[in-house]
Amino acid sequence: REWLFVGLRRRYELGPPKDWQRGMRAGVANPGDKATHRAKARQLWPEADLGKRKTEDRSDALLLAEYGRRLSSATDKGWKR
């Protein structure tokens, strides 16, 4: 999948899921918990259609995208990895 980013000449980083989960937890005790991901996504995007509770992919995708945005944003001061 990295070929897409290479072809588009985009910067990308590979890392374990725990990195973005820890980065997006914002004080949550269990960053790997799917219910926690759903609650955090609902907090950040209250109008988003997160799908059924059984499929947590949408909330994970939103949080992962937000993590990447914050990580690459030079204007987001105070963000710590």
Side-chain angles (χ1 to χ4, degrees):
R1 295 180 186 169
E2 294 87 27
W3 61 266
L4 178 64
F5 295 104
V6 172
L8 294 173
R9 295 188 172 133
R10 300 288 183 200
R11 186 177 144 254
Y12 68 94
E13 289 186 36
L14 299 176
K18 67 179 181 175
D19 287 352
W20 70 263
Q21 291 169 353
R22 189 179 304 121
M24 292 304 298
R25 73 175 177 213
V28 174
N30 188 3
D33 180 45
K34 293 294 185 177
T36 301
H37 297 179
R38 189 175 181 83
K40 183 65 177 178
R42 178 72 62 214
Q43 176 188 7
L44 293 172
W45 301 280
E47 301 297 320
D49 177 15
L50 298 179
K52 296 180 181 180
R53 185 164 279 185
K54 291 182 181 179
T55 58
E56 305 292 343
D57 296 344
R58 291 180 188 175
S59 55
D60 284 355
L62 284 169
L63 293 174
L64 182 56
E66 177 64 11
Y67 175 75
R69 185 193 69 78
R70 291 181 183 187
L71 193 61
S72 66
S73 175
T75 59
D76 193 6
K77 295 179 183 175
W79 171 255
K80 295 181 181 171
R81 185 174 184 182

